[in-house]
Amino acid sequence: MIFVFKLKPFFTQFPRFSTYEEQKQHWPMDTSKHVGRGKSFTTADFFHYDFGGIIEHLFINSDGFAVMLNEHHPWFLRRDSNNGDPIFCVSVSHDDPYPKLNKYPSGYFDIQFTVKVGKNIRDVTKSFTDPNSKSNAKLAHPTHLPDERVIRYPIWSTWAEYKKNINEHKVLDFATQIKKHGFPNSQIEIDDFWEHKYGDFSFDHNKFPDPKKLISELHGLGFRVTAWVYPFVNHDSVAYEANKNHFIKDANGHPLKVDWWDGSGGAVDFSDVHSAKWFVDRLEKLKKDTGLDAYKFDAGELNWYGKKFHVKDPQVQLFPNLMTQRYVQTCSNLGGMIEVRTAYKSQQVN
């Protein structure tokens, strides 16, 4: 079954209905319209895919009209130009990356959504965040205020100036020039390629002979210091062979081969609490050994794991977007200064 919303009425006005039958009579959708295969509504690298790294099942407009899709269904979405009268199409399917099972949970392939109308965008948004609401269609509230300095002042990344061509001298010179010209900062981030091999999570001592001393000098200049990390361990990393049990698996139970922009290797299975802890423990040790304050976390979107993968937690297997949520939750254990580029139902995480 495919539901089709005509975007013109969807983004202008929507009448209030008293009964479900009345809604069906007036609902602005065209169920007879032929709609092709949609795209799975899952987190993906925003450089190459239709849906970006931050997604939510709530669709809302400034007039105060909103639709929230039930998160516990395998959604596929499509927008059709429809010869100038655009329509928004939603469907459910067990197509990749959703699992192929002999038996699915009851209601897995239902199409359920909540429609709300308010005076304006603020009014209708509050209806989804009201903690006293008994509705299942809710958005979580943040539990803490974010780090004020990160919000207020620039994050200076070595990637912007040097790309991968970084070393101790360049990082220190970068910070010195920022300070010399009177620019404020929230922190300085040592970006890609500070390691010897991707997944080592240890400084390349040819480039950074004394990372602890460097970070101390950056602190002395008034910078907090972060490093760029990611959820992958490349095949040539010293950490790969001994830690295969912590990686997402393929259909045969072997570590899934993940190709990403800096090589190939394994991907940490954040649905497994032991693997998530292993990931955090390594980064906590690096902080302790070097004086790093926090990290910038890259990737974490679902598309990096391909179309057929197997994870520890069966709930995450059913609803793969939860892998992104577990990644963000894991990253949040490293403090309030962190940056994460992806999110799914992570409003409560700081």
Side-chain angles (χ1 to χ4, degrees):
M1 181 184 292
I2 296 176
F3 271 78
V4 184
F5 303 87
K6 284 192 175 181
L7 290 184
K8 189 171 182 180
F10 180 79
F11 286 106
T12 53
Q13 295 181 353
F14 192 82
R16 295 180 183 272
F17 300 121
S18 57
T19 67
Y20 177 68
E21 289 302 318
E22 189 178 358
Q23 286 188 35
K24 288 200 297 184
Q25 293 173 15
H26 295 85
W27 182 255
M29 58 187 169
D30 179 6
T31 54
S32 65
K33 173 73 177 179
H34 175 72
V35 179
R37 184 183 298 274
K39 302 287 182 66
S40 65
F41 192 50
T42 50
T43 57
D45 172 27
F46 57 87
F47 289 110
H48 304 103
Y49 293 86
D50 296 280
F51 306 127
I54 300 175
I55 66 170
E56 182 52 76
H57 285 86
L58 176 63
F59 299 85
I60 192 168
N61 78 333
S62 57
D63 289 335
F65 176 75
V67 173
M68 178 177 273
L69 304 177
N70 188 313
E71 64 190 274
H72 300 297
H73 305 308
W75 291 105
F76 283 74
L77 272 59
R78 182 184 176 200
R79 183 182 185 275
D80 194 320
S81 62
N82 194 33
N83 297 318
D85 186 18
I87 53 178
F88 171 60
C89 315
V90 298
S91 61
V92 293
S93 172
H94 60 30
D95 286 347
D96 298 330
Y98 297 102
K100 307 292 190 296
L101 303 175
N102 293 324
K103 184 177 180 180
Y104 292 92
S106 175
Y108 186 68
F109 295 111
D110 288 350
I111 289 186
Q112 298 178 351
F113 50 84
T114 299
V115 177
K116 291 190 178 184
V117 180
K119 296 177 182 178
N120 49 46
I121 190 170
R122 179 181 179 185
D123 185 45
V124 74
T125 300
K126 285 176 66 177
S127 71
F128 288 103
T129 58
D130 181 0
N132 298 316
S133 172
K134 295 181 180 180
S135 171
N136 291 325
K138 282 186 178 181
L139 296 178
H141 270 285
T143 55
H144 301 87
L145 291 174
D147 183 279
E148 181 179 346
R149 189 169 162 183
V150 171
I151 301 299
R152 186 180 293 272
Y153 300 114
I155 296 171
W156 296 92
S157 172
T158 58
W159 180 262
E161 182 70 11
Y162 305 108
K163 298 299 186 281
K164 290 186 179 185
N165 188 22
I166 58 172
N167 56 38
E168 183 176 282
H169 171 75
K170 288 182 177 179
V171 173
L172 191 58
D173 183 63
F174 189 37
T176 302
Q177 292 299 318
I178 293 166
K179 189 79 172 178
K180 177 182 176 181
H181 287 86
F183 292 115
N185 77 85
S186 62
Q187 53 213 40
I188 189 169
E189 179 225 333
I190 303 173
D191 209 296
D192 191 0
F193 184 39
W194 54 272
E195 301 160 279
H196 180 58
K197 299 292 183 181
Y198 293 104
D200 286 349
F201 287 1
S202 60
F203 278 89
D204 181 344
H205 286 283
N206 292 317
K207 299 177 181 179
F208 298 92
D210 193 342
K212 187 172 184 177
K213 180 175 179 289
L214 169 64
I215 292 167
S216 178
E217 291 177 341
L218 292 170
H219 285 160
L221 289 170
F223 290 88
R224 302 182 300 182
V225 187
T226 66
W228 169 83
V229 293
Y230 39 83
F232 312 115
V233 179
N234 277 9
H235 291 125
D236 57 358
S237 166
V238 295
Y240 182 83
E241 285 296 330
N243 296 285
K244 291 181 178 180
N245 58 313
H246 292 306
F247 302 151
I248 295 171
K249 303 300 190 293
D250 62 20
N252 298 314
H254 303 304
L256 182 75
K257 180 178 179 290
V258 175
D259 294 311
W260 62 298
W261 65 89
D262 275 331
S264 65
V268 179
D269 183 355
F270 293 100
S271 81
D272 178 12
V273 293
H274 301 292
S275 299
K277 184 178 185 302
W278 171 77
F279 181 81
V280 170
D281 286 349
R282 297 178 72 214
L283 294 177
E284 288 284 18
K285 183 179 185 303
L286 182 61
K287 284 176 65 176
K288 183 179 179 180
D289 291 346
T290 63
L292 278 169
D293 296 290
Y295 297 97
K296 167 191 169 181
F297 292 95
D298 214 339
E301 300 90 354
L302 201 65
N303 68 278
W304 301 111
Y305 312 133
K307 295 182 177 181
K308 300 181 187 301
F309 54 87
H310 295 266
V311 296
K312 186 84 170 182
D313 188 331
Q315 186 73 1
V316 177
Q317 194 73 51
L318 280 171
F319 306 105
N321 277 325
L322 290 176
M323 184 60 108
T324 292
Q325 184 186 63
R326 300 288 178 87
Y327 177 56
V328 177
Q329 290 171 340
T330 300
C331 296
S332 71
N333 289 298
L334 276 300
M337 286 172 51
I338 65 166
E339 305 168 61
V340 188
R341 87 168 190 177
T342 188
Y344 169 72
K345 296 197 174 297
S346 308
Q347 296 90 341
Q348 74 279 11
V349 177
N350 291 280

